[in-house]
């Protein structure tokens, strides 16, 4: 599939070029000169080969494409090679995707110099020459901008894949980490309390004959320390019990919450003003902060976040605001929108208000709760879900913006200059005053595109509204014949505005309206500009004729507008699917981590209650009764129970892995471990594997691991390297349709730009491979079955 995608576009370009020229002239019997034809054919073949290497060697591919274009222009006319000239844009796009920024700038500069040089002999007038060069350079900027946007998207997906790996590692270590923490706390209790009782009472018992006064002191010490031990143990049980979480002070709960987000790499600043909020409101305050921070991590990871909880005489104000981050996630809401209504209901039930919405480039949530609110009014089952994603500004595509605005400015003026040269009846467009008017109208029409990502609907309204300035100017000032054709060229800005609405608008539902509205408004502008001189299509202006022409032109414009909207909607849909899968995978890994830690706390809490608390209670009872010998027996029994629980915890401890991440070379060991536990797992892999990029190497192992974890029966793992990609196939996965499993697998594959298919218990993944040096053969990578001695 990768091989097909690599050669499909260049083959289509070259095929279309050969069909149009020299194919059509040959079919008409108008055979071009053999020398000219040979130059065109050589240029086409060289271009095809160069574009086939654009992904692995983008800069040399661009150089060869420019050289081939130069060769073709030595014989054939540039108009004959018009389709082939698109290869320059493809090559520049590839450089922008795969090369550093400084290399992209050099490539753009060289391409601009090249187009200026090869076009120098073509034009007799400076204006035509300059227009041709400027339009070409703007096209290069647009291709480079789109390529940099693609690179930014791929970098973001790789970052999310890294976060997913980190969260998965944390989930695997969650139970062990919690066990270590609880073991330390239990050890502190036993060391500082129970051990001191055993030592003190034992010494008093041994010295009872010589120093009887020590017995009374030991009994008093045992009673006092036993109570402290019992209180400490009960407090520990309460802390690790989920039922008592809500009873913790809000200050500590918020500190722990912020610390947790810091561990995820999210900068959060917590400010407090005034006293502690009333306990009745603590749950809602915590919920507002928790859900707001969760959505920041989900939709604006890395943005600076400020959390403020202020309590005055009658109101608790909770504010969570972030600065926002650039990126395509700004374009839409990923959630279903139920979270904001649920949180509002919960706040409203306490007599408060909640507001959530854009705040500059970021997002702001503010809740106000009356201090005397009664939590008993909370509706049954009310639970705040995720807040809708904020509308983010998109300022990381400056090249695209510059190219779009530049094209929207230059194309109308260039159209006017070209029209003057090709049609003598349009000589009025040559007037410098008219050209200035057209330039000013084009500036007004194109300027809103600078905000197309940040404010797509406002951009659309600005572009559509300024289209109506053309007929108004024609009526008030006067525009010569042909101005309507210049406006038609300026419709490039309308197409860009429709795309922006489809791709970046906050809500996807009504965006389709942009296409018919843009077609209608542009048609009104075209017909109105043409009719300003009193005639339409050579006939005097009449309302029915004007209306008919407007409807007819709008119908013609509707098709390209709808196609443009459809393209933006497809891009938006792809963003949404990929980002949703990433969110689901991160949420699933986080849920596993929390569940593992909670299960460990419950296990330790049950052990404390059954084995230690009862013993500690009996110790306090006998200490109060003053029976020195029984105090020693109970203290030793309690200490033994505590140490037994500690030994049980430490017996489950596993050394924390500090070595490198497992890679494709470790798949053999993974399959062997499954075999050792009684599962029939076959491995079919090549004997030698080239050195792979780290992300592909690690992700391939994780894919196999996750796939095997999704099933329990016989399985077969197949690894293949073909067509510049790594192909991974795992069969025997009856539970691979689980949404959480699928979300994690898809997020990892999408981050590498690969493809994943899951059907009938079989996983098939294709991961693209960039060109890397070939390493030595890896042992243990071949075999139809895991060797017997490895089981």
């Amino acid at each position: 599939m990768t091989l097909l995608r690599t050669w499909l576009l260049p083959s289509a370009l070259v095929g279309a070029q050969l069909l149009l020229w020299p194919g059509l002239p040959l079919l008409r019997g108008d055979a071009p000169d053999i020398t000219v034809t040979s130059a065109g054919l050589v240029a086409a073949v060289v271009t095809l080969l160069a574009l086939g290497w654009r992904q692995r060697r983008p800069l040399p591919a661009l150089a060869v494409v420019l050289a081939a274009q130069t060769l073709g222009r030595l014989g054939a006319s540039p108009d004959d090679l018009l389709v082939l000239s698109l290869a320059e844009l493809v090559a520049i796009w590839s450089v922008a995707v795969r090369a550093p920024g400084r290399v992209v700038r050099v490539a753009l500069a060289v391409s601009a110099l090249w187009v200026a040089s090869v076009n120098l002999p073509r034009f007799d007038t400076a204006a035509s020459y300059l227009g041709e060069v400027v339009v070409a350079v703007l096209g290069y900027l647009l291709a480079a901008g789109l390529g940099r946007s693609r690179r930014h998207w791929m970098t973001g997906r790789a970052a999310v894949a890294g976060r997913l790996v980190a969260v998965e590692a944390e989930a695997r270590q969650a139970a062990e980490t919690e066990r270590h923490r609880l073991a330390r706390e239990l050890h502190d209790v036993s060391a500082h309390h129970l051990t001191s009782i055993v030592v003190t009472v034992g010494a008093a018992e041994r010295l009872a004959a010589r120093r009887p006064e020590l017995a009374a002191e030991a009994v008093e010490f045992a009673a006092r320390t036993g109570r402290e031990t019992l209180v400490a143990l009960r407090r520990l049980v309460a802390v690790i019990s989920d039922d008592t979480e809500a009873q913790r002070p809000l200050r500590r709960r918020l500190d722990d919450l912020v610390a947790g987000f810091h561990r995820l790499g999210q900068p959060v600043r917590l400010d407090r003003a005034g006293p502690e909020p009333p306990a009745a409101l603590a749950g809602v305050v915590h919920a507002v902060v928790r859900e707001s921070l969760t959505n920041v991590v989900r939709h604006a990871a890395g943005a600076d976040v400020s959390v403020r909880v202020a309590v005055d005489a009658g109101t608790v104000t909770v504010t969570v605001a972030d600065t926002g981050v650039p990126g395509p996630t700004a374009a839409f809401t990923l959630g279903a929108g139920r979270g904001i209504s649920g949180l509002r209901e919960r706040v409203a039930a306490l007599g408060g208000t909640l507001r959530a919405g854009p705040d500059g480039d970021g997002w702001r949530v503010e809740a106000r709760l009356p201090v005397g609110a009664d939590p008993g009014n909370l509706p049954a089952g009310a639970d705040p879900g995720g807040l809708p994603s904020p509308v983010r500004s998109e300022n990381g595509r400056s090249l695209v913006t510059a190219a779009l605005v530049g094209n929207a400015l230059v194309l109308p003026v260039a159209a006017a200059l070209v029209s003057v040269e090709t049609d003598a009846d349009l000589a009025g467009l040559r007037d410098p005053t008219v050209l200035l008017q057209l330039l000013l109208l084009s500036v007004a029409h194109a300027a809103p595109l600078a905000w197309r990502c940040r404010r797509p609907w406002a951009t659309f309204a600005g572009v559509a509204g300024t289209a109506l300035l053309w007929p108004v100017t024609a009526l008030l000032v006067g525009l010569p014949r042909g101005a309507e054709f210049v406006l038609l060229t300026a419709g490039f800005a309308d197409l860009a505005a429709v795309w922006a609405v489809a791709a970046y608008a906050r809500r996807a539902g009504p965006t389709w309206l942009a296409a018919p509205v843009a077609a209608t408004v542009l048609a009104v502008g075209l017909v109105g500009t043409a009719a300003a001189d009193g005639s339409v299509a050579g006939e005097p202006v009449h309302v029915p004729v004007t209306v008919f022409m407007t409807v007819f032109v709008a119908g013609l414009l509707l098709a390209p507008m709808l196609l443009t909207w459809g393209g933006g909607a497809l891009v938006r849909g792809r963003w949404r699917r990929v980002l949703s899968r990433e969110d689901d995978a991160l949420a699933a890994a986080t849920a596993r981590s929390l569940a593992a830690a909670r299960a460990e706390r419950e296990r330790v809490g049950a052990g404390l209650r059954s084995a230690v608390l009862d013993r500690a209670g009996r110790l306090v009872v006998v200490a109060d009764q003053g029976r020195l010998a029984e105090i020693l027996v109970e203290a030793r029994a309690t200490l033994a129970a505590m140490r037994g629980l500690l030994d049980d915890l430490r017996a489950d401890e596993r050394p924390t892995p500090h070595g490198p991440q497992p890679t494709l070379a470790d798949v053999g060991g993974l399959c062997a471990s499954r075999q050792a536990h009684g599962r029939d797992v076959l491995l079919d892999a090549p004997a030698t594997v080239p050195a792979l990029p780290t992300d592909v190497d690690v992700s391939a192992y994780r894919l196999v691991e996750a796939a095997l974890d999704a099933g329990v029966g016989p399985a077969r793992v197949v690894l293949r390297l073909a067509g510049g990609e790594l192909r991974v196939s795992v069969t025997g996965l009856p539970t691979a349709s689980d949404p959480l499993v699928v979300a994690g697998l898809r997020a990892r594959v999408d981050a590498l730009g690969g493809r994943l298919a899951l059907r009938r218990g079989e996983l098939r993944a294709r991961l693209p491979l960039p060109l890397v040096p070939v390493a030595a053969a890896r042992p243990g990578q071949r075999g139809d079955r895991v060797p017997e001695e490895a089981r």
Side-chain angles (χ1 to χ4, degrees):
M1 185 60 69
T2 301
L3 187 64
L4 178 62
R5 290 199 301 266
T6 299
W7 290 97
L8 181 61
L9 179 59
S11 299
L13 281 177
V14 173
Q17 174 60 63
L18 296 179
L19 178 63
L20 293 176
W21 187 92
L24 288 181
L26 288 173
L27 290 176
R28 292 195 302 262
D30 185 14
D33 181 76
I34 186 63
T35 304
V36 174
T37 304
S38 300
L41 290 176
V42 171
V45 172
V46 172
T47 300
L48 173 66
L49 297 176
L51 290 184
W53 282 83
R54 70 190 185 279
Q55 296 180 352
R56 299 187 177 189
R57 295 288 186 268
L59 204 58
L62 174 62
V64 174
V65 166
L66 296 182
Q69 296 280 25
T70 304
L71 174 64
R73 295 191 183 203
L74 291 177
S77 166
D79 295 333
D80 293 336
L81 299 177
L82 182 62
V83 177
L84 200 61
S85 64
L86 297 177
E88 306 159 23
L89 304 180
V90 176
I92 290 174
W93 184 88
S94 299
V95 171
V97 171
R98 293 170 176 82
R102 64 179 185 277
V103 175
V104 177
R105 290 190 289 272
V106 171
L108 284 173
V110 171
S111 300
L113 290 174
W114 173 83
V115 76
S117 302
V118 298
N119 281 298
L120 192 59
R122 288 186 57 201
F123 298 96
D124 297 331
T125 62
S128 300
Y129 167 74
L130 185 62
E132 178 77 13
V133 172
V134 170
V135 170
V137 171
L138 288 174
Y140 297 160
L141 283 176
L142 182 59
L146 294 174
R148 298 308 288 179
S149 298
R150 173 65 178 173
R151 181 185 179 92
H152 177 74
W153 168 261
M154 294 169 61
T155 301
R157 306 289 61 72
V160 171
R163 287 178 58 206
L164 180 58
V165 170
V167 172
E168 288 176 345
E170 183 178 346
R172 288 191 296 271
Q173 297 297 322
E176 185 175 348
T177 301
E178 191 67 14
R179 185 165 53 249
H180 288 174
R181 184 181 70 81
L182 295 175
R184 286 194 301 270
E185 295 188 18
L186 287 174
H187 180 268
D188 292 342
V189 171
S190 64
H192 293 292
H193 292 81
L194 296 175
T195 303
S196 62
I197 294 176
V198 172
V199 171
T200 301
V201 175
E205 189 178 50
R206 289 193 303 272
L207 299 174
R210 287 182 293 169
R211 301 188 60 183
E213 73 280 2
L214 292 179
E217 294 178 3
V219 168
E220 180 184 357
F221 175 80
R224 183 179 69 253
T225 307
R227 289 190 183 90
E228 293 175 357
T229 301
L230 189 60
V231 170
L233 290 173
R234 285 174 175 168
R235 183 182 299 116
L236 183 58
V237 172
V239 167
I240 65 179
S241 172
D242 292 337
D243 296 336
T244 60
E245 173 66 17
Q247 300 175 9
R248 296 175 61 208
L250 179 62
R251 178 180 296 270
R252 291 186 57 188
R253 294 171 64 189
L254 291 179
D255 288 341
D256 292 345
L257 184 65
V258 170
F261 281 93
H262 280 163
R263 287 193 294 272
L264 290 176
Q266 181 65 51
V268 181
R269 185 179 69 256
L270 175 61
D271 296 325
R272 300 181 180 89
E276 185 84 356
L281 303 181
V284 178
V285 172
H286 185 268
V288 171
V289 176
R290 181 191 67 230
E291 299 301 334
S292 301
L293 291 179
T294 298
N295 279 278
V296 171
V297 171
R298 205 177 162 196
H299 303 295
D304 292 329
V305 186
S306 62
V307 178
R308 179 176 174 82
V309 179
V311 183
D312 56 23
T315 306
V316 179
T317 303
V318 184
T319 306
V320 182
D322 64 84
T323 58
V325 294
T329 58
F332 43 75
T333 298
L334 295 178
R338 301 187 186 96
I340 190 66
S341 59
L343 194 56
R344 277 205 179 97
E345 288 177 4
R346 189 169 182 181
V347 172
L350 298 175
T353 60
L354 183 139
R355 292 182 297 177
D359 181 27
D361 291 342
W363 189 259
R364 181 184 183 91
V365 177
E366 182 176 277
R368 293 179 178 271
L369 298 161
V371 169
D374 179 11
N377 294 329
L378 196 65
D383 181 37
L387 297 175
S389 68
V391 177
R392 306 291 180 197
S393 65
E394 199 278 355
N395 54 14
R397 300 181 179 180
S398 56
L399 283 176
V400 177
T401 300
L404 288 176
V405 175
N407 276 291
L409 285 174
V410 172
L411 289 179
V413 178
L417 294 175
V418 172
S419 300
V420 170
E421 291 187 357
T422 57
D423 191 344
D425 295 336
L426 303 180
L429 296 177
R430 188 182 288 111
D431 189 336
T433 303
V434 172
L435 287 177
L436 179 60
Q437 290 174 346
L438 296 177
L439 179 61
L440 293 177
L441 289 172
S442 300
V443 168
H445 198 52
L449 292 178
W451 298 277
R452 75 191 197 288
C453 300
R454 185 190 299 259
R455 298 287 185 267
W457 278 112
T459 296
F460 176 77
V463 170
T466 52
L468 300 178
L469 292 177
W470 293 68
V472 172
T473 304
L475 286 172
L476 298 180
V477 180
L479 290 175
R481 181 186 172 188
E484 63 273 15
F485 298 108
V486 179
L487 173 58
L488 182 62
T489 309
F492 174 86
D494 298 79
L495 294 173
V498 170
W499 175 283
V501 169
Y504 303 117
R506 191 176 166 207
R507 294 183 180 180
T511 58
W512 63 270
L513 292 172
V517 171
T520 302
V521 172
L522 186 57
V524 170
L526 290 170
V527 176
T529 303
D533 61 356
S535 65
V536 176
E539 299 292 334
V541 173
H542 297 291
V543 173
V545 175
T546 304
V547 172
F548 172 78
M549 289 296 299
T550 302
V551 173
F552 178 74
V553 173
L556 295 177
L557 295 173
L558 183 59
M561 294 294 179
L562 285 175
L563 288 175
T564 302
W565 173 85
L570 287 175
V571 170
R572 175 197 186 96
R574 180 175 180 274
W575 287 343
R576 179 167 187 159
R577 288 190 299 273
V578 171
L579 296 173
S580 294
R581 284 198 294 265
E582 291 174 351
D583 290 338
D584 292 342
L586 287 171
T590 303
R592 289 195 300 270
S593 176
L594 295 175
R598 185 182 300 111
E600 195 62 30
R601 288 197 301 270
E602 291 175 355
R603 186 171 76 91
V604 175
L608 276 173
R609 284 189 291 268
S610 62
V612 181
L613 277 179
D614 291 343
R615 289 284 187 181
R618 286 197 294 272
L619 171 62
V620 173
V621 171
V622 297
D624 288 339
Q625 294 174 355
R627 299 196 295 265
L628 191 64
E630 295 183 23
I631 292 175
L632 184 58
V633 172
E634 293 296 338
R636 285 173 174 168
T638 306
L639 183 58
M642 179 74 74
R643 287 174 174 170
L645 181 59
L646 283 171
D647 290 341
D648 179 55
L649 292 177
R650 289 165 178 161
D652 292 336
E653 290 181 3
R654 296 180 299 274
T656 302
H658 294 289
Q661 290 264 33
T663 62
L664 205 61
D666 302 304
V667 171
L670 176 66
C671 296
S673 68
R674 297 298 193 271
Q675 288 275 17
H677 287 82
R679 186 178 181 187
D680 188 16
V681 179
L682 303 180
L683 174 62
D684 183 2
T688 58
V689 179
L692 303 177
T694 302
D695 52 353
V696 176
D697 221 0
V698 174
S699 291
Y701 176 90
R702 294 301 185 196
L703 278 175
V704 175
E705 180 185 43
L708 292 178
D709 288 342
V712 293
R716 178 182 177 88
V717 179
V718 179
L719 305 175
R720 291 287 183 267
L721 287 166
E725 64 183 11
L726 172 64
R727 301 177 183 179
V728 180
S729 173
V730 184
T731 58
L733 314 175
T735 61
S737 59
D738 181 88
L740 296 181
V741 174
V742 174
L745 295 173
R746 288 196 183 281
R748 190 177 294 282
V749 173
D750 287 343
L752 299 174
R755 303 182 67 182
L756 177 70
L758 286 165
R759 61 174 68 92
R760 297 180 181 178
E762 180 181 5
L763 173 147
R764 291 185 179 181
R766 295 170 179 262
L767 306 179
L769 298 177
L771 186 64
V772 293
V774 177
R778 294 176 175 173
Q781 291 295 302
R782 182 180 179 87
D784 293 333
R785 183 178 293 273
V786 178
E788 196 70 36
E789 61 272 18
R791 299 182 187 177

